[in-house]
Amino acid sequence: MPPDGSRVAYASHQTGVSKIWAANVDGSNAVALTDGPAQDFWPVWSNDARWIAFGSLRGGHPQLWKVPSGGGPAMPIT
């Protein structure tokens, strides 16, 4: 959750494969932040709320990635 407590990040299978989503704490304004065929999981907000780090099976093995909390392309961390 960002420092102001206004949003949550979560993993959901609603598109058929686990992806990272962000929404207001009341569930409104849900936005998919990741896409593609790989499983994404365990989202964690950065301290400044600009990024969401997450685990992914992109590339066939577990890695850490990050995505801008407002949406945009995901980037590998490891």
Side-chain angles (χ1 to χ4, degrees):
M1 188 174 301
D4 68 2
S6 63
R7 295 184 56 77
V8 295
Y10 58 97
S12 173
H13 288 87
Q14 69 187 45
T15 60
V17 65
S18 181
K19 295 294 152 204
I20 305 304
W21 290 70
N24 294 337
V25 294
D26 66 3
S28 64
N29 296 322
V31 177
L33 298 177
T34 62
D35 59 8
Q39 297 282 344
D40 299 327
F41 44 85
W42 301 329
V44 178
W45 289 89
S46 65
N47 289 340
D48 62 7
R50 292 181 50 219
W51 299 95
I52 297 173
F54 61 96
S56 181
L57 295 178
R58 297 164 191 229
H61 58 282
Q63 295 180 332
L64 291 177
W65 286 69
K66 67 180 182 177
V67 65
S69 60
M75 295 171 263
I77 297 173
T78 62

